Amino acid sequence: ATAAVTVLRHNDMIAAEHPEWRDKAVVEFRDRPTMVVDHLDLGKYTTCLHKGEINVAEDVKSVTIYSDSKFVEDGVTVVDTPGMNTPNAMHEQITRDQIDRSHAAVFLFKAGEAGKKSDYEFLETTAKKIERFFFVVNRIDEIGGIGETSARVIEDLRGKVAENPVLGPLLEKERFYPTSGLLALLGRYPEFIPNEKFLSREQWERDCNPPDCRAELEKASGMDTFEADLLSFLFN
C-alpha cells in the first residue's frame, strides 16, 4: 500500500543545519511546505490506506526517515517505492529511475497471492538492471505461519522463477524468505499496536505482552533469518 517514495537514511546523514531531523521523518509535499513528523505518524504520509485531508499519492513527493537503524550504516540507503502497478504515472517513472540506481532489491510478495503476472513482468524489467534479489513472502501468519504451507508457497515461487527465461539464470544467487511483518512488530514493541491478530489491549495484555511470548512471536515471524542475510550482503 506504499503511496509515496520513502527513503530510509542514517542519522549520520543529516546535514549540520538540520539537527531537528534526528529520529524524525521529513515529508516533502508537491505544493505545501515541508513537514518534520514523528515516526509513529508516518502512516498519514506514506500509504494509500490512510484516509484523511492529505491524498498521499497526489500530494506527497517523498518521505525521508532518519534513524540509527543498523541497515543504513556506512552510507547505505533503503528506498521503498510504490511499485509499477500504481495509477500514478509519476510514481511508476520514479520507481523505474530508482531501479537504475539500485544495487539490490527486496521484492515483496503476499503469501496468499505470491506470483501474480504483474509481479513477474516487473521482475523481468528489474532483473535487467539489478544483480541481487531478496524474495520476501510476507503475511505467512495468514497461512499458518512457518511450516509445510509456507514451504510449498516458497517452492512454488522458486519454480516459477526458474521457469522464467529472464529470471531463471539468476536463481542460484537469489534467496527466498517466508516472513510475517506483523508478528515481528508485535514481538519487538512492548506497547499495544492495533492490529487484526490481537483486537484489543486486554487480549494483548493477557496473551502476548509477557517477554517470553513476545520472543516466540518474533521467532515465528521468520524476520531474523532474512535480516541476518541482508546485513551480511550489505556490509560483508
Side-chain angles (χ1 to χ4, degrees), residues 92-136:
E92 181 174 336
Q93 186 56 51
I94 289 172
T95 299
R96 291 184 184 277
D97 291 343
Q98 184 58 47
I99 289 171
D100 290 340
R101 296 195 297 270
S102 297
H103 299 93
V106 178
F107 199 86
L108 193 66
F109 293 94
K110 181 181 176 182
E113 301 176 0
K116 294 185 293 185
K117 181 181 179 182
S118 58
D119 290 334
Y120 291 104
E121 291 174 348
F122 183 30
L123 275 172
E124 287 182 14
T125 300
T126 310
K128 297 172 183 176
K129 306 289 183 69
I130 293 178
E131 294 186 359
R132 174 66 60 142
F133 283 88
F134 296 83
F135 294 124
V136 176

Side-chain angles (χ1 to χ4, degrees), residues 71-84:
F71 293 95
V72 287
E73 294 177 348
D74 297 337
V76 171
T77 299
V78 176
V79 182
D80 183 22
T81 66
M84 303 291 273

Side-chain angles (χ1 to χ4, degrees), residues 7-34:
V7 181
L8 180 63
R9 290 199 170 109
H10 200 275
N11 280 325
D12 291 346
M13 301 293 287
I14 295 173
E17 62 266 26
H18 292 293
E20 73 279 9
W21 290 1
R22 185 175 185 86
D23 292 320
K24 298 290 185 179
V26 180
V27 183
E28 185 178 357
F29 295 95
R30 300 191 189 282
D31 59 0
R32 64 175 78 184
T34 296

Side-chain angles (χ1 to χ4, degrees), residues 176-236:
F176 298 77
Y177 304 89
T179 65
S180 169
L182 173 61
L183 295 186
L185 191 67
L186 294 176
R188 292 177 181 186
Y189 289 88
E191 299 299 323
F192 173 71
I193 301 168
N195 65 88
E196 64 267 27
K197 187 172 181 63
F198 296 95
L199 299 179
S200 69
R201 181 179 294 274
E202 291 73 21
Q203 183 188 11
W204 162 256
E205 293 287 352
R206 182 185 70 244
D207 298 337
C208 194
N209 200 27
D212 55 343
C213 176
R214 290 173 48 215
E216 286 298 314
L217 283 174
E218 184 168 354
K219 181 179 179 181
S221 75
M223 202 65 70
D224 285 348
T225 301
F226 163 61
E227 290 181 343
D229 283 358
L230 182 59
L231 283 171
S232 178
F233 167 75
L234 290 174
F235 299 109
N236 295 335

Side-chain angles (χ1 to χ4, degrees), residues 25-186:
V26 180
V27 183
E28 185 178 357
F29 295 95
R30 300 191 189 282
D31 59 0
R32 64 175 78 184
T34 296
M35 289 178 59
V36 179
V37 304
D38 290 334
H39 291 170
L40 291 176
D41 291 329
L42 280 169
K44 301 175 184 177
Y45 309 101
T46 59
T47 171
C48 60
L49 298 179
H50 178 73
K51 306 299 180 184
E53 63 177 77
I54 295 174
N55 182 326
V56 176
E58 298 296 331
D59 299 340
V60 178
K61 184 176 180 181
S62 67
V63 177
T64 303
I65 303 168
Y66 291 98
S67 83
D68 285 329
S69 169
K70 58 188 176 183
F71 293 95
V72 287
E73 294 177 348
D74 297 337
V76 171
T77 299
V78 176
V79 182
D80 183 22
T81 66
M84 303 291 273
N85 56 344
T86 169
N88 190 316
M90 185 179 299
H91 282 173
E92 181 174 336
Q93 186 56 51
I94 289 172
T95 299
R96 291 184 184 277
D97 291 343
Q98 184 58 47
I99 289 171
D100 290 340
R101 296 195 297 270
S102 297
H103 299 93
V106 178
F107 199 86
L108 193 66
F109 293 94
K110 181 181 176 182
E113 301 176 0
K116 294 185 293 185
K117 181 181 179 182
S118 58
D119 290 334
Y120 291 104
E121 291 174 348
F122 183 30
L123 275 172
E124 287 182 14
T125 300
T126 310
K128 297 172 183 176
K129 306 289 183 69
I130 293 178
E131 294 186 359
R132 174 66 60 142
F133 283 88
F134 296 83
F135 294 124
V136 176
V137 179
N138 193 34
R139 300 175 73 161
I140 59 167
D141 52 287
E142 298 178 5
I143 61 169
I146 295 177
E148 292 184 6
T149 302
S150 63
R152 285 197 300 269
V153 170
I154 294 293
E155 283 308 306
D156 180 58
L157 183 58
R158 287 182 63 92
K160 290 179 179 177
V161 170
E163 293 171 0
N164 187 292
V166 176
L167 302 175
L170 300 175
L171 193 60
E172 289 185 3
K173 59 182 180 180
E174 308 317 322
R175 298 176 181 179
F176 298 77
Y177 304 89
T179 65
S180 169
L182 173 61
L183 295 186
L185 191 67
L186 294 176

